[in-house]
Amino acid sequence: MVTKEWQGTAEGAAHAGRAPAQPVVSDRLDGLFGGLSARKRVIASQLPVSMTILLVVLAAAIFSPETLANNLFLAALLFHVAIAVACIATPWGRLPMGAFAVIPLLDCVAIGFTREAGGPAFSVLSMMLVFPVIWLSAQVRPYMPVLAISGTILGVVVPAALHGSPPAGGSMIRTLILPLVMSVIAVTAHVVATTIRRQRMTLIENEHEMARTLDESVRRQCLLDAVLKAVGVGVWVVDAKGNTVLANRAMRSDPVLADVIGSTGGSGAAGGPGLLMSADRSTPVMLHQLPAARAAAGEAFTDELYWAGPADRQRAYSVSSQSFPPSGGQEGGAVITFVDVTSLINALAAKDNFVATVSHELRTPLTSILGYLELVLDEPGHEEIQEELLVVRRNAGHLLNLVNDLIAVASERVDLSLEETDLARLLAVEVDAALPKAASSGLQLALDAEQPLPGRMDPKRIGQVIQNLLSNAIKYSPDGGLITVTGRRRDAELVCTISDTGSGMTGEEQEQAFTKFFRSARSRETAIPGAGLGLSVSKTIIEGHGGSITLDSEPGVGTTVTFILPAS
């Protein structure tokens, strides 16, 4: 198992990426030669010829002393000395770039004179032409190999002509073969030098590009490190087996989350049984449902609630996970985030408690008001204010229904009185009741339901659901629209849909449609009345029956709400 804290990664990457390799001898020589001045480079290039001539003089002094008494041989040696002095004394940096070419050309002539003056015993000196030929051919300019070949010809023809040797026999063979061989060497040397130079430039460019890429990678890594250290969100990276790879400071500084990391098992059983609790705060999360195990299995999830810690100090965490595939020879894994939402959960609970308390306190006087209103309406002598009393009763009843909805939403449950009921009859009753309001808005209301649709349900509560959905469809549909109510039996389920051709909802609004007190942007802009409780209460009622409710909508097209109940 590999476990480490998310720190120092940028520095490690920098050191790892910039560790220099041991330079080879050729690189050292190349770097040394490249740092020399123009004069020193010419001297260094001339050094092989000068050293070879010095060795020739030493060999002649030992094995052929009479040769050193030959005036022509001495003159040839003085020619070499003069060339060496010219290399040292000439300010090559002030001359044109190709001016140095005169030195290897003179070397070719001097080598030819030395060979001719030394006689047959020194014919092997022709091999020295390789030095000036390679010197010239290795240059980048394309005419340099031509100069090298010309120098070879001069080194053969000029000394022979001045010496008076007839161009026949061995002399003729040397006159033809030697320049040809040197021509091949010149062309080969130029091609090889050009290829090496081109490859070297490519390597240098690649090295610079790699250096830039590394610098950018280090910069990004430093930025990522800074972000991960600054954010208060716990970030946990696991591999494909659920083992910890990286964890930021927020993850490790939280004692509860540190325990989750510390108890990671090789099978992805991070946290172990009993360390994390589900949303009900009491049910231990099973091994295969732990965040690391789910992430290792490739599952992506968002904002799932987990509780952790001792019972008297439990903390709530919103957990999300996103996997990443293998890349660059590295195995894949997942990034898991832990956001501490304990304060938010407590605030929501306090709000719900407040709403429930206030609602209970309001329901008692409202019930009393409605009771006394019924008594007043039943007593004679109030005929002249009968209409006003009915308005009071209707609004008090509406307010009592709103209070009941608030209580249901706050407690997230409703009291149900289940009995055998025909859903088709309920749909017909509620559609008939909504027809006047739909007609006043210029809407058509159509019912298409199978007969019968028996189920065990609370007729009053299911009627409330149908009322809420029809009310929303009417409020959000333009004049001339169509509202369709359908009821079908599907196997052991009763499926009811209410569709309208209204304004519809965006994707973001659909995600929040069943949230308490949510109002769409259009309802706020057009001042459509409502408290944002209808869908939330309907969801609570339907789920209390063991059913489900869904919403599908498209802006400008309409909305379809479907709820499903168990059939008898």
Side-chain angles (χ1 to χ4, degrees):
M1 180 179 69
V2 180
T3 305
K4 61 180 179 179
E5 187 167 356
W6 201 310
Q7 60 182 7
T9 51
E11 295 82 355
H15 291 306
R18 295 177 180 173
Q22 291 297 326
V24 297
V25 176
S26 59
D27 290 338
R28 292 179 178 177
L29 292 177
D30 186 70
L32 178 63
F33 190 80
L36 299 177
S37 64
R39 177 180 297 176
K40 292 180 178 179
R41 285 199 297 271
V42 172
I43 294 173
S45 299
Q46 177 63 18
L47 194 59
V49 175
S50 300
M51 293 298 296
T52 303
I53 290 299
L54 180 60
L55 294 175
V56 168
V57 171
L58 292 175
I62 297 173
F63 301 105
S64 182
E66 65 277 6
T67 305
L68 295 179
N70 187 334
N71 292 330
L72 290 177
F73 190 80
L74 291 176
L77 294 179
L78 289 176
F79 194 2
H80 282 290
V81 172
I83 294 173
V85 172
C87 291
I88 299 172
T90 304
W92 298 106
R94 301 177 184 177
L95 300 179
M97 292 294 294
F100 73 90
V102 69
I103 297 298
L105 289 175
L106 292 175
D107 279 337
C108 290
V109 176
I111 290 170
F113 275 118
T114 305
R115 182 190 64 241
E116 290 291 336
F122 287 85
S123 62
V124 72
L125 293 181
S126 297
M127 296 178 60
M128 289 180 60
L129 290 172
V130 171
F131 295 128
V133 166
I134 292 180
W135 183 3
L136 287 170
S137 301
Q139 304 303 314
V140 68
R141 295 172 181 81
Y143 61 83
M144 286 297 183
V146 177
L147 289 180
I149 297 171
S150 301
T152 302
I153 296 174
L154 290 174
V156 173
V157 174
V158 172
L162 293 177
H163 194 265
S165 300
S171 177
M172 178 61 70
I173 293 175
R174 183 171 64 249
T175 302
L176 296 176
I177 297 301
L178 189 59
L180 289 176
V181 172
M182 290 301 165
S183 298
V184 174
I185 293 176
V187 173
T188 303
H190 184 72
V191 171
V192 171
T194 303
T195 302
I196 293 175
R197 189 177 292 108
R198 186 181 299 112
Q199 291 178 347
R200 182 173 181 79
M201 293 302 297
T202 302
L203 289 174
I204 292 174
E205 291 177 1
N206 291 341
E207 183 178 352
H208 290 166
E209 182 62 28
M210 289 179 64
R212 287 192 294 269
T213 303
L214 178 61
D215 289 340
E216 178 65 16
S217 177
V218 171
R219 188 189 71 81
R220 290 177 178 271
Q221 186 64 61
C222 290
L223 177 61
L224 179 60
D225 288 348
V227 170
L228 290 173
K229 291 176 181 178
V231 298
V233 176
V235 179
W236 185 21
V237 181
V238 298
D239 60 20
K241 297 180 180 179
N243 294 322
T244 301
V245 176
L246 294 170
N248 71 339
R249 179 181 300 171
M251 191 75 185
R252 293 188 176 275
S253 61
D254 188 322
V256 175
L257 297 183
D259 288 340
V260 172
I261 298 174
S263 56
T264 302
S267 61
L275 185 59
L276 292 179
M277 300 291 176
S278 58
D280 63 5
R281 307 183 65 168
S282 60
T283 305
V285 179
M286 303 303 293
L287 290 178
H288 67 281
Q289 287 297 319
L290 290 167
R294 296 173 62 187
E299 181 182 351
F301 50 90
T302 304
D303 295 332
E304 297 208 2
L305 186 63
Y306 288 88
W307 289 85
D312 58 337
R313 299 191 307 275
Q314 274 191 327
R315 308 292 297 176
Y317 295 92
S318 176
V319 184
S320 302
S321 172
Q322 182 63 51
S323 60
F324 57 87
S327 177
Q330 300 294 324
E331 64 178 2
V335 179
I336 309 172
T337 59
F338 287 76
V339 182
D340 191 335
V341 293
T342 309
S343 299
L344 177 60
I345 295 294
N346 291 338
L348 292 174
K351 183 199 71 173
D352 289 342
N353 290 336
F354 174 77
V355 170
T357 301
V358 172
S359 300
H360 278 289
E361 293 298 324
L362 289 175
R363 184 163 61 176
T364 300
L366 279 172
T367 303
S368 178
I369 290 171
L370 285 170
Y372 280 104
L373 276 174
E374 292 296 334
L375 292 176
V376 172
L377 288 171
D378 290 340
E379 291 290 332
H382 301 93
E383 288 77 8
E384 67 277 6
I385 59 171
Q386 180 81 11
E387 185 175 346
E388 289 80 358
L389 291 174
L390 291 174
V391 171
V392 172
R393 185 178 67 176
R394 182 172 66 251
N395 284 286
H398 175 70
L399 184 57
L400 181 60
N401 290 333
L402 179 59
V403 169
N404 288 332
D405 288 345
L406 286 171
I407 293 174
V409 167
S411 63
E412 296 186 350
R413 66 180 182 83
V414 290
D415 295 327
L416 301 176
S417 299
L418 302 180
E419 58 184 74
E420 288 296 326
T421 305
D422 184 3
L423 180 60
R425 185 183 64 81
L426 279 179
L427 290 173
V429 170
E430 297 301 336
V431 168
D432 288 340
L435 276 174
K437 186 175 181 180
S440 65
S441 299
L443 301 170
Q444 299 181 33
L445 187 55
L447 173 63
D448 179 16
E450 295 179 0
Q451 299 288 339
L453 294 173
R456 187 167 178 78
M457 64 190 76
D458 186 328
K460 182 178 179 180
R461 289 297 190 180
I462 297 301
Q464 181 183 355
V465 171
I466 299 171
Q467 290 173 19
N468 289 338
L469 300 182
L470 286 174
S471 175
N472 285 342
I474 293 172
K475 285 190 294 186
Y476 293 100
S477 294
D479 292 346
L482 173 64
I483 300 173
T484 304
V485 180
T486 63
R488 296 285 185 272
R489 183 186 181 102
R490 185 177 62 192
D491 299 330
E493 297 175 334
L494 302 180
V495 182
C496 177
T497 61
I498 298 178
S499 303
D500 62 58
T501 55
S503 56
M505 304 172 69
T506 65
E508 294 180 356
E509 290 174 339
Q510 291 180 59
E511 292 178 358
Q512 303 181 61
F514 293 99
T515 304
K516 308 169 190 176
F517 308 108
F518 172 74
R519 304 290 311 286
S520 66
R522 173 176 167 76
S523 65
R524 295 192 300 270
E525 293 169 358
T526 57
I528 296 175
L533 294 174
L535 287 176
S536 179
V537 172
S538 298
K539 184 174 185 291
T540 301
I541 294 172
I542 295 299
E543 291 181 349
H545 282 77
S548 63
I549 184 169
T550 58
L551 181 145
D552 183 34
S553 185
E554 184 176 347
V557 176
T559 301
T560 298
V561 180
T562 302
F563 66 84
I564 301 174
L565 295 171
S568 294

